[in-house]
Amino acid sequence: MTGIALVGAGRMARVHAASIAAAGAQVATIYDPIEEAACSLARNTGARVAATAAEAMADPAADAIMIATSSDTHVELLLEAVRTGKPVLCEKPLASSYEASRKFVAAIGEAAARKVFLGFNRRFDRGHAAVREGVHAGRIGRLEQLTITSRDPFPPPLEYIPRSGGLFRDMMIHDFDMARSIVGKPMVSVTAHGSSIIDPEVGRLGDVDTASVTMLAEDGTIVTILNSRRCAFGFDQRIEAFGEKGMLLSDNPRQSGFTAFTREAPGTAAPILEFFMERYGPSYTEEIRLFIDCAREGRDMPVNAIDGLMAAYLAEAATTSLAQGKTIILTGPDQEFSK
Amino acid sequence: MTGIALVGAGRMARVHAASIAAAGAQVATIYDPIEEAACSLARNTGARVAATAAEAMADPAADAIMIATSSDTHVELLLEAVRTGKPVLCEKPLASSYEASRKFVAAIGEAAARKVFLGFNRRFDRGHAAVREGVHAGRIGRLEQLTITSRDPFPPPLEYIPRSGGLFRDMMIHDFDMARSIVGKPMVSVTAHGSSIIDPEVGRLGDVDTASVTMLAEDGTIVTILNSRRCAFGFDQRIEAFGEKGMLLSDNPRQSGFTAFTREAPGTAAPILEFFMERYGPSYTEEIRLFIDCAREGRDMPVNAIDGLMAAYLAEAATTSLAQGKTIILTGPDQEFSK
Amino acid sequence: MTGIALVGAGRMARVHAASIAAAGAQVATIYDPIEEAACSLARNTGARVAATAAEAMADPAADAIMIATSSDTHVELLLEAVRTGKPVLCEKPLASSYEASRKFVAAIGEAAARKVFLGFNRRFDRGHAAVREGVHAGRIGRLEQLTITSRDPFPPPLEYIPRSGGLFRDMMIHDFDMARSIVGKPMVSVTAHGSSIIDPEVGRLGDVDTASVTMLAEDGTIVTILNSRRCAFGFDQRIEAFGEKGMLLSDNPRQSGFTAFTREAPGTAAPILEFFMERYGPSYTEEIRLFIDCAREGRDMPVNAIDGLMAAYLAEAATTSLAQGKTIILTGPDQEFSK
Amino acid sequence: MTGIALVGAGRMARVHAASIAAAGAQVATIYDPIEEAACSLARNTGARVAATAAEAMADPAADAIMIATSSDTHVELLLEAVRTGKPVLCEKPLASSYEASRKFVAAIGEAAARKVFLGFNRRFDRGHAAVREGVHAGRIGRLEQLTITSRDPFPPPLEYIPRSGGLFRDMMIHDFDMARSIVGKPMVSVTAHGSSIIDPEVGRLGDVDTASVTMLAEDGTIVTILNSRRCAFGFDQRIEAFGEKGMLLSDNPRQSGFTAFTREAPGTAAPILEFFMERYGPSYTEEIRLFIDCAREGRDMPVNAIDGLMAAYLAEAATTSLAQGKTIILTGPDQEFSK
């Protein structure tokens, strides 16, 4: 059985603790700056409580490390974790900016970066994964167009906007990673459009709440990403991959198989899933299972700090494109990572 | 080009006239007791008007005959048509009762009966036909359960009930034919249930408006037919064939690909098709095309007077089953036709 | 917090233990004849292990009792549980036969029987519950036809057949309960048809593997239940309620929102859910939550031993109908329970 | 009854002739440079044959004019038609280029241009029309994102490419019109991306076969159009309108309601419709009906030469955007027409 040092005891840490048990591993040690939170989660999992993150990570009963703390602590904790030589999983984002991500990868080196599992959980959604696997298996031949739609059910509070890094870094980051994982080829240009159409206040804070990004991949594949901070009918999360031999679609699952047929509402289905724990809950379980497998076998992580860096790079380019009102041509050393 | 003698110039005759043109044939002669109707349709099709049905049928320009008159005239006109030796298509029903159907087939003989195309148009519905062809092609292996749902959008006027022959002979007759065409094996028992739940007045007139029939085929296949005289959301016409390797479904097509997703109505699709010309319009065209092909080639008709007789036989049995409150075991000479 | 005495530590008990935690209650005591199983589950839940079922039930830390043992022990354990005066939930079936169920209810009295929660979990499936609630709320006006389809992915081993009680008591029992809960009116007749079409060996053992039952309710509503012991494409579980104002449908949910569109497979969706833990897993959680709520508030159970008795009664009638090849008219004292 | 002068007797003219009859109007006169074609269609419709287009248009029996000739003759015939003062419908495109369209509108004036019905038939597709009407009726509140997908089943012959005017003018022109008709507000920018990913030869001829266009409307609405010259699974024609209160979708209708559920293909539906006459056939009938109504009542045409001009303007801008690799800001006098 694999023992895990869990750094953080908040909401995501509790979700991960359940997945750890489901995967047949166990939480060995927990650290959280709020001791009460650590103790409570320790009681439920049979773990011991560590006095510091470093102590938790160094615990001999911990074969692997999971970091589920606030975003601003990720880089520092990751550096600590990498020093232990143990496999580590960190919640996204890797760092607060592309620049910080780049420095982190430079500091630990590419080989080590590929051993850091980065929690882009949506890759493990059953429908999205079936699209990616179908594309990679050649079911639609050469990929020609990829369209990703991500719409949150409701916007975050206005006070969150200034510290969010902007829609592209905060929200579309998942879609940049998804696009990279499906296309599997370097992007050569990014063009962003956006509006603060839901709430003009967002515009005054320098951000957008509705956005569209077009990317061209090196082989001509056209990627389109649509984001909205608000969606009246639920958590709209879809992917459409179109290629020479057909199309693969990951549509929104519904809450049940219920449909009403009446004269007024002639075919009203159950709503789509509400928000991320409903829709992506199972993907977290899958993610943790995969991390534990890779950790046991000492493999490179299938989604890692290099992916975090590259998604941040695309978010950076989109932010620049919107600000300058023009297409950004992607060049430079970072391109090499996606080869 | 094939010339058709069209007996009747009412609504169905006009539908058929359009299909005749679409099939590359032409209406040569028309007869209708209402001369004005005959003349009007003749003008639109370039046909001549005949003074009697016999004259129309005998017209040398007519290579084949189509009978689209009121049900009570079918037998007499069919006997006339069969005498000409020309291929003939007749609207359903073959006759007003099973007994009359049996006498008609006895009068002309089985071989001639198989040359009379009987207008069970639903066999040519694209979805229903795909189910039948899939079953016959072995896509689901051995057939085990067949479920047919037919619900009209609204009940006929009460005054129609006494002369309808009852729900089983008037409405479920299509489903008995469909069941026979898909199962392809003799039925061994019929059990009917029914209620006058929509309108108790229907019950006082000795009929039902909601019914269910279960039939067992010789090999144990279970057939279920559900009928209702009223359906609030449109013309509900579905078939489900279940077998050892899977299920084939013919579901209700919708009026368009439109769907609305709002908070109140989270996935409201376009209504299903309204009534029989909307849903089964294309099946009439397909039926006429097939009749003309068979007529040109002198082939037996794929759906003919024997099928009309057998469907009437099952309707008769269902009527008896309901009246007696028990399962009717099917025996006797008529069984042989379905071998 | 509510403490639960859990009698049984097998597969269903473990499923229930997770639901107990999710509902904010806790397992206080566990008894299982296999002590190792009891200890293992006790470790994971923090419960103590009792030496006998009676000891577990009597534990002052247990506010309510859950029985999840093999079917043949239910009656005896229930009698014990009822004596404690604590709320009790028991897995279905209530007893091994209708006769045994009737004796049990007679022994404890109707009022006590309504305090025994009987685990017909499918009532709590999200889609099925939406159909029932929609019918009861009048969304389709008067109910006219109810059609329930239940098909298992694969047949049980042949050796199970002789001790199963037959398809109607073993498998269709869920559908009888579902029909009762949706219709809400007494049934007046039961007609069963069946075949051993999947495996003739089943027929030689006196059972069927493919069946159809038609029931008439007192107000003329027609209920149709279709069962099959084998379904090549998954666990086929559907309900269709049809009434004067429309239709409510609980269709099979799919494993994901994935669909492939290619020339060969022009719209191939993800498979439906595989078997009962995939499809009905969430319904168990919902069931336990509801039991605990009712237990806390001392309410009658919404699905109880009377429901278990009535479902057994209908299964008995269907078994007789098939054996005698005729419709069974339902009469007698048991009818009163469904008023 | 309204008499129509039909200029052209080719394929589209024959489609229109059937719609004219269905709308209760009649073809009065036909002209086609190929006399045989004109005579053949005249026989089927009871029309007379005119010696020149001008003679046909001037025929006193013709209350309205329909032009269904090759694209390069539209402007000249339209000028002739406008001189008669009769209502006129012309197949799209208005002219061979934006410049030619502009000159035509300038020549006849805006008021006259609004009396020229331009055949953007897709506006009358039942699903697309439901989206537009839903948006205009406020069902989704303020429109925020509009996504239009148009993919032809197979590319045109390579020799067609040089005289096509390029993908934006030839194919996406329909989508520009659709976007304008749904958004109902002026566009302020156009950004085009494209690849010759299906066939590199297309690229060598200076065109693209796969394209994406992003437009911003004056109020911040983001419009995305995706085009492909090839689609393996049929004629992919979808619209998604997303707004503050929900989403309206026009999805691809299928050929029938057939679906197969087998282990290998667990839910394979009937294919989507194949090409434009299958998908858009009914929209032509609707278009002609509307034209005849407007002609009878002397109303402005709901889709007219100004719309043709504006769609050409957007196509022009997209072509420029792709050539220059930058966003085109839309300004100038043409903007006024879309107010």
Side-chain angles (χ1 to χ4, degrees):
Chain A
M1 186 176 278
T2 306
I4 307 288
L6 188 51
V7 183
R11 197 158 94 97
M12 280 314 303
R14 287 173 182 272
V15 170
H16 290 336
S19 297
I20 289 167
Q26 66 179 9
V27 184
T29 330
I30 297 178
Y31 167 73
D32 193 283
I34 303 171
E35 200 187 336
E36 196 177 23
C39 289
S40 159
L41 187 52
R43 257 194 311 276
N44 292 357
T45 56
R48 58 177 288 274
V49 173
T52 63
E55 183 190 313
M57 294 179 185
D59 191 319
D63 305 301
I65 298 163
M66 289 176 49
I67 298 171
T69 54
S70 62
S71 301
D72 56 343
T73 65
H74 287 180
V75 166
E76 196 182 348
L77 289 168
L78 274 170
L79 288 171
E80 182 79 38
V82 169
R83 273 194 290 274
T84 66
K86 297 179 184 179
V88 58
L89 174 149
C90 182
E91 272 300 297
K92 56 126 306 225
L94 183 56
S96 55
S97 69
Y98 165 63
E99 195 49 32
S101 300
R102 212 181 54 75
K103 280 186 187 155
F104 169 74
V105 170
I108 67 170
E110 185 180 340
R114 294 202 186 275
K115 299 276 186 194
V116 173
F117 195 113
L118 196 72
F120 281 126
N121 64 293
R122 295 186 189 181
R123 288 197 181 199
F124 309 106
D125 175 75
R126 207 162 178 173
H128 292 356
V131 169
R132 183 178 58 247
E133 288 158 16
V135 168
H136 293 181
R139 285 187 68 178
I140 55 167
R142 182 175 173 179
L143 179 68
E144 294 165 359
Q145 295 182 327
L146 178 71
T147 307
I148 302 177
T149 303
S150 294
R151 291 169 179 145
D152 283 350
F154 35 78
L158 260 186
E159 53 271 30
Y160 173 70
I161 299 297
R163 57 192 163 87
S164 71
L167 181 143
F168 300 109
R169 293 189 190 97
D170 175 59
M171 180 177 172
M172 203 181 277
I173 190 89
H174 277 291
D175 307 308
F176 287 123
D177 178 65
M178 190 67 77
R180 288 186 63 253
S181 82
I182 295 174
V183 174
K185 296 205 171 61
M187 300 297 160
V188 296
S189 75
V190 174
T191 313
H193 289 86
S195 305
S196 55
I197 196 169
I198 299 169
D199 185 351
E201 207 53 47
V202 168
R204 277 189 280 276
L205 293 169
D207 200 3
V208 291
D209 48 31
T210 299
S212 138
V213 160
T214 305
M215 300 194 290
L216 275 183
E218 163 183 275
D219 67 344
T221 302
I222 299 176
V223 176
T224 307
I225 303 175
L226 301 174
N227 271 193
S228 172
R229 288 283 196 185
R230 180 192 57 198
C231 180
F233 57 96
F235 192 32
D236 187 16
Q237 300 281 303
R238 288 174 286 151
I239 299 180
E240 173 186 318
F242 176 84
E244 60 178 332
K245 293 183 185 167
M247 181 168 79
L248 304 179
L249 177 70
S250 175
D251 205 345
N252 292 306
R254 293 176 173 282
Q255 293 181 16
S256 78
F258 177 75
T259 303
F261 297 81
T262 59
R263 185 147 289 278
E264 304 74 38
T268 298
I272 67 169
L273 298 173
E274 280 297 308
F275 203 13
F276 82 100
M277 276 311 298
E278 266 196 298
R279 167 65 188 265
Y280 289 124
S283 76
Y284 285 111
T285 307
E286 196 54 34
E287 171 190 303
I288 299 306
R289 197 185 313 271
L290 186 58
F291 167 64
I292 290 173
D293 282 357
C294 292
R296 280 176 181 150
E297 299 166 19
R299 283 190 276 147
D300 274 7
M301 296 301 167
V303 49
N304 55 52
I306 299 295
D307 297 298
L309 175 71
M310 290 308 302
Y313 178 60
L314 296 175
E316 199 71 16
T319 306
T320 307
S321 170
L322 185 73
Q324 303 186 352
K326 67 176 195 190
T327 296
I328 301 299
I329 304 301
L330 303 178
T331 55
D334 308 302
Q335 281 307 90
E336 81 201 52
F337 290 120
S338 48
K339 299 275 178 174
Chain B
M1 187 177 277
T2 304
I4 307 289
L6 188 51
V7 183
R11 196 159 94 98
M12 280 314 303
R14 287 173 181 274
V15 169
H16 290 336
S19 297
I20 289 168
Q26 65 180 8
V27 184
T29 330
I30 296 178
Y31 167 75
D32 193 282
I34 304 172
E35 200 186 336
E36 198 177 22
C39 290
S40 160
L41 187 52
R43 257 195 310 277
N44 292 356
T45 56
R48 58 177 288 273
V49 173
T52 64
E55 183 190 313
M57 294 179 184
D59 191 320
D63 306 302
I65 298 164
M66 289 176 51
I67 298 171
T69 55
S70 62
S71 301
D72 57 343
T73 65
H74 287 180
V75 166
E76 196 182 348
L77 289 168
L78 274 170
L79 288 170
E80 182 79 39
V82 168
R83 273 194 290 274
T84 66
K86 297 179 184 179
V88 57
L89 175 149
C90 181
E91 271 301 297
K92 57 126 306 224
L94 182 56
S96 54
S97 70
Y98 164 63
E99 194 50 32
S101 301
R102 213 181 52 75
K103 281 186 185 154
F104 169 74
V105 170
I108 66 170
E110 185 179 341
R114 294 203 186 275
K115 299 277 186 193
V116 174
F117 195 114
L118 195 72
F120 281 127
N121 63 292
R122 295 184 188 181
R123 287 197 182 199
F124 309 105
D125 176 75
R126 207 163 177 171
H128 292 357
V131 169
R132 184 179 56 248
E133 288 157 16
V135 169
H136 293 181
R139 285 188 67 177
I140 55 168
R142 182 175 173 179
L143 179 67
E144 294 165 358
Q145 295 181 327
L146 178 71
T147 307
I148 303 178
T149 302
S150 295
R151 291 169 179 145
D152 283 350
F154 35 78
L158 260 186
E159 53 270 30
Y160 173 72
I161 299 296
R163 57 192 161 88
S164 71
L167 181 142
F168 300 109
R169 295 189 188 97
D170 175 59
M171 180 176 170
M172 203 181 277
I173 189 89
H174 278 292
D175 308 307
F176 287 123
D177 178 66
M178 190 67 77
R180 287 186 63 253
S181 82
I182 295 173
V183 174
K185 296 205 170 61
M187 300 298 159
V188 297
S189 75
V190 174
T191 313
H193 289 86
S195 306
S196 55
I197 196 169
I198 298 169
D199 185 352
E201 208 52 47
V202 167
R204 278 189 279 277
L205 293 169
D207 199 5
V208 292
D209 49 31
T210 299
S212 138
V213 161
T214 305
M215 300 193 291
L216 275 183
E218 164 183 273
D219 68 343
T221 301
I222 299 175
V223 177
T224 307
I225 303 176
L226 301 174
N227 272 194
S228 172
R229 287 283 196 184
R230 180 193 56 198
C231 180
F233 57 95
F235 192 34
D236 186 15
Q237 300 281 304
R238 286 173 286 151
I239 299 179
E240 172 185 317
F242 176 83
E244 61 178 332
K245 293 185 185 166
M247 181 169 78
L248 303 180
L249 177 70
S250 175
D251 206 345
N252 293 306
R254 294 176 172 283
Q255 293 181 16
S256 76
F258 177 75
T259 303
F261 298 81
T262 60
R263 185 147 290 277
E264 305 76 36
T268 298
I272 68 169
L273 298 172
E274 280 296 308
F275 203 11
F276 82 100
M277 277 311 299
E278 264 196 298
R279 168 65 189 267
Y280 289 125
S283 77
Y284 285 109
T285 307
E286 195 55 32
E287 172 189 302
I288 299 305
R289 198 186 312 271
L290 186 58
F291 167 63
I292 290 173
D293 282 357
C294 292
R296 280 178 182 147
E297 298 166 19
R299 283 189 277 147
D300 274 7
M301 296 301 166
V303 49
N304 54 53
I306 298 296
D307 296 299
L309 175 71
M310 291 308 303
Y313 177 60
L314 297 175
E316 199 71 17
T319 306
T320 307
S321 170
L322 184 73
Q324 303 186 353
K326 66 177 196 191
T327 296
I328 302 300
I329 304 302
L330 303 179
T331 54
D334 309 303
Q335 280 305 89
E336 79 200 53
F337 291 120
S338 49
K339 299 275 177 173
Chain C
M1 186 176 277
T2 305
I4 307 288
L6 188 51
V7 183
R11 196 159 94 98
M12 279 316 303
R14 287 171 183 275
V15 169
H16 290 336
S19 297
I20 290 167
Q26 65 180 8
V27 183
T29 330
I30 297 179
Y31 166 75
D32 193 283
I34 304 171
E35 200 186 336
E36 196 177 25
C39 290
S40 159
L41 187 52
R43 255 195 311 278
N44 291 357
T45 55
R48 59 176 288 272
V49 173
T52 64
E55 183 190 314
M57 293 178 186
D59 191 317
D63 306 301
I65 299 164
M66 289 176 49
I67 298 171
T69 55
S70 62
S71 300
D72 56 344
T73 64
H74 288 181
V75 166
E76 195 182 349
L77 290 168
L78 273 171
L79 288 171
E80 182 79 37
V82 168
R83 273 194 289 275
T84 66
K86 297 179 183 179
V88 57
L89 175 149
C90 181
E91 270 302 296
K92 55 129 304 226
L94 182 56
S96 54
S97 70
Y98 165 63
E99 194 51 31
S101 301
R102 212 181 53 76
K103 280 186 186 155
F104 170 74
V105 169
I108 66 171
E110 185 180 339
R114 293 203 187 275
K115 299 277 186 194
V116 174
F117 195 114
L118 196 73
F120 282 126
N121 64 293
R122 295 185 189 181
R123 289 197 181 199
F124 309 106
D125 175 74
R126 207 163 178 172
H128 293 356
V131 168
R132 183 179 57 247
E133 288 157 16
V135 169
H136 293 180
R139 284 188 68 177
I140 55 168
R142 182 175 172 178
L143 179 68
E144 295 165 358
Q145 296 181 326
L146 178 71
T147 308
I148 303 178
T149 302
S150 294
R151 292 172 178 142
D152 282 351
F154 35 78
L158 261 186
E159 53 272 29
Y160 173 71
I161 299 297
R163 57 191 162 87
S164 70
L167 180 142
F168 300 108
R169 294 190 190 97
D170 175 59
M171 180 177 173
M172 203 181 277
I173 190 89
H174 278 291
D175 307 308
F176 288 123
D177 177 65
M178 190 66 77
R180 288 186 64 253
S181 82
I182 295 173
V183 174
K185 296 205 171 60
M187 300 297 161
V188 296
S189 76
V190 173
T191 313
H193 289 86
S195 306
S196 55
I197 197 169
I198 299 169
D199 184 352
E201 208 52 48
V202 167
R204 278 189 279 277
L205 293 169
D207 200 3
V208 291
D209 49 30
T210 299
S212 138
V213 160
T214 305
M215 301 194 290
L216 276 183
E218 162 184 276
D219 67 343
T221 301
I222 299 176
V223 177
T224 307
I225 302 176
L226 301 173
N227 270 193
S228 172
R229 287 285 196 185
R230 179 192 57 199
C231 180
F233 57 96
F235 191 33
D236 187 16
Q237 300 281 303
R238 287 173 286 150
I239 299 179
E240 173 186 317
F242 176 83
E244 60 177 333
K245 293 185 185 165
M247 181 168 79
L248 303 179
L249 177 70
S250 175
D251 206 346
N252 293 306
R254 294 176 172 283
Q255 293 181 18
S256 77
F258 177 75
T259 303
F261 298 81
T262 60
R263 184 147 290 278
E264 305 74 38
T268 298
I272 68 169
L273 298 173
E274 280 298 308
F275 204 12
F276 82 100
M277 277 312 297
E278 263 196 300
R279 167 66 188 266
Y280 289 125
S283 76
Y284 285 110
T285 307
E286 195 55 31
E287 171 189 304
I288 299 307
R289 197 186 313 271
L290 187 58
F291 167 63
I292 290 173
D293 281 357
C294 292
R296 279 176 183 150
E297 299 167 17
R299 283 189 277 146
D300 275 8
M301 296 300 167
V303 49
N304 55 53
I306 299 296
D307 296 298
L309 175 71
M310 291 308 302
Y313 177 60
L314 296 175
E316 199 71 16
T319 306
T320 307
S321 170
L322 185 73
Q324 304 186 351
K326 67 177 194 190
T327 296
I328 302 299
I329 304 300
L330 303 179
T331 54
D334 309 303
Q335 280 307 87
E336 80 200 51
F337 291 121
S338 48
K339 299 275 179 175
Chain D
M1 187 176 277
T2 305
I4 306 288
L6 188 51
V7 183
R11 196 159 95 98
M12 280 314 303
R14 288 173 181 273
V15 170
H16 291 336
S19 297
I20 289 168
Q26 65 180 8
V27 183
T29 330
I30 297 178
Y31 166 74
D32 193 283
I34 303 173
E35 200 186 337
E36 197 176 23
C39 289
S40 159
L41 187 52
R43 256 195 310 277
N44 292 356
T45 55
R48 58 176 288 274
V49 172
T52 64
E55 184 190 313
M57 294 178 185
D59 192 317
D63 306 302
I65 298 165
M66 289 177 49
I67 298 171
T69 54
S70 63
S71 300
D72 57 344
T73 65
H74 287 180
V75 165
E76 197 182 347
L77 289 168
L78 274 171
L79 289 170
E80 183 79 37
V82 168
R83 274 193 289 274
T84 67
K86 297 179 184 179
V88 57
L89 175 150
C90 181
E91 272 301 298
K92 57 130 301 228
L94 182 57
S96 55
S97 70
Y98 165 62
E99 194 51 31
S101 301
R102 211 181 55 75
K103 280 185 187 159
F104 169 74
V105 170
I108 66 170
E110 185 180 341
R114 293 203 187 275
K115 298 277 186 192
V116 174
F117 195 113
L118 196 73
F120 281 126
N121 64 292
R122 295 185 188 180
R123 289 198 182 198
F124 309 106
D125 176 75
R126 208 162 177 171
H128 293 358
V131 169
R132 183 179 57 247
E133 288 157 16
V135 169
H136 293 182
R139 285 187 67 178
I140 53 168
R142 183 175 171 178
L143 179 67
E144 294 165 358
Q145 295 182 326
L146 178 71
T147 307
I148 303 177
T149 302
S150 295
R151 291 170 179 145
D152 283 350
F154 35 78
L158 260 186
E159 53 272 29
Y160 173 72
I161 299 297
R163 57 192 162 88
S164 71
L167 180 142
F168 300 108
R169 293 189 189 99
D170 175 58
M171 180 177 173
M172 202 181 277
I173 189 89
H174 278 291
D175 308 307
F176 287 123
D177 178 64
M178 190 67 77
R180 288 186 64 251
S181 82
I182 295 173
V183 174
K185 296 207 172 60
M187 300 297 161
V188 297
S189 75
V190 174
T191 313
H193 289 85
S195 305
S196 54
I197 197 169
I198 298 169
D199 184 352
E201 207 52 48
V202 167
R204 277 189 279 277
L205 293 169
D207 200 3
V208 292
D209 49 31
T210 299
S212 138
V213 160
T214 305
M215 301 194 289
L216 275 184
E218 165 183 272
D219 68 343
T221 301
I222 299 176
V223 177
T224 307
I225 303 175
L226 300 174
N227 271 193
S228 172
R229 287 284 197 184
R230 180 192 56 198
C231 179
F233 56 96
F235 191 33
D236 186 16
Q237 299 281 303
R238 287 174 286 151
I239 300 180
E240 173 186 318
F242 176 83
E244 60 178 333
K245 293 184 185 166
M247 181 167 79
L248 303 179
L249 178 69
S250 176
D251 206 344
N252 291 307
R254 293 176 173 282
Q255 292 181 17
S256 77
F258 177 75
T259 303
F261 297 82
T262 60
R263 185 147 289 280
E264 305 75 37
T268 298
I272 66 169
L273 298 172
E274 280 297 308
F275 203 13
F276 82 100
M277 276 311 298
E278 264 196 300
R279 169 65 189 268
Y280 289 125
S283 76
Y284 284 111
T285 307
E286 195 54 33
E287 172 189 304
I288 299 305
R289 197 186 312 272
L290 187 57
F291 168 63
I292 290 173
D293 281 357
C294 292
R296 280 176 181 149
E297 299 167 18
R299 283 189 277 147
D300 275 7
M301 297 301 166
V303 48
N304 56 52
I306 299 296
D307 296 299
L309 175 72
M310 290 309 301
Y313 177 61
L314 296 175
E316 199 70 17
T319 306
T320 307
S321 170
L322 184 73
Q324 303 186 352
K326 67 176 195 191
T327 296
I328 301 300
I329 304 301
L330 303 179
T331 54
D334 308 304
Q335 281 306 90
E336 79 200 53
F337 291 121
S338 48
K339 298 276 178 172

